[in-house]
Amino acid sequence: MRKKGWLIAAGMVCVLVGGIILRSPLHADTGIYIDVGESFVVFEGGSGEPVVMRSGQGNDKMFRKLQTGDRILVFHDGTMMLSYPAQMNILFCIRLKKGDVSALPEGVLESLEEMGWIQGGAFGQDQ
């Protein structure tokens, strides 16, 4: 009888947690990480334009072990600030696969140069 009570309680907790997760503003997307003094991501299936990643509490530790070209899973609040470049609050990110500069989609380096984040082809020499 006691075991049945625990199973019911565990089931209710699972339903509650599942409901919270479904109703929360948490979104997950994959992309390619870019480090040019500021942490950028190019989301797959997006416009191909780099987006500045901002951590909620100014904690950039989650980006320290990443290198340009790494494929990452990004958890964010879904809000994109329409600045130039666009900015997004990142709650957490995980490296899915190591990569290098050659993994960047075509046109990304040109976009970063137009925005003034890199200077004439110097990017990637010591990344």
Side-chain angles (χ1 to χ4, degrees):
M1 186 71 153
R2 194 174 185 152
K3 215 177 205 180
K4 187 175 181 180
W6 277 106
L7 287 175
I8 291 172
M12 290 174 65
V13 168
C14 288
V15 168
L16 179 66
V17 169
I20 290 170
I21 289 172
L22 288 175
R23 294 189 48 85
S24 73
L26 185 67
H27 300 273
D29 287 301
T30 58
I32 299 174
Y33 177 78
I34 306 168
D35 181 10
V36 288
E38 193 78 40
S39 297
F40 281 85
V41 64
V42 177
F43 288 110
E44 295 177 344
S47 65
E49 291 294 321
V51 176
V52 177
M53 295 190 295
R54 302 273 187 222
S55 57
Q57 290 84 22
N59 181 2
D60 292 338
K61 290 180 190 175
M62 70 179 107
F63 306 131
R64 286 188 187 155
K65 292 187 179 183
L66 299 174
Q67 295 181 343
T68 297
D70 288 351
R71 184 166 309 285
I72 59 174
L73 174 63
V74 177
F75 295 93
H76 56 90
D77 61 7
T79 304
M80 188 171 299
M81 293 160 260
L82 298 176
S83 57
Y84 188 72
Q87 299 177 36
M88 178 173 278
N89 290 324
I90 304 299
L91 306 171
F92 189 71
C93 75
I94 300 169
R95 178 174 43 204
L96 300 174
K97 182 179 177 186
K98 287 187 129 247
D100 59 26
V101 176
S102 66
L104 295 176
E106 194 174 316
V108 169
L109 296 179
E110 289 84 10
S111 293
L112 288 169
E113 190 171 357
E114 286 173 10
M115 290 185 273
W117 288 92
I118 60 173
Q119 304 298 320
F123 179 74
Q125 291 176 354
D126 50 334
Q127 298 321 24

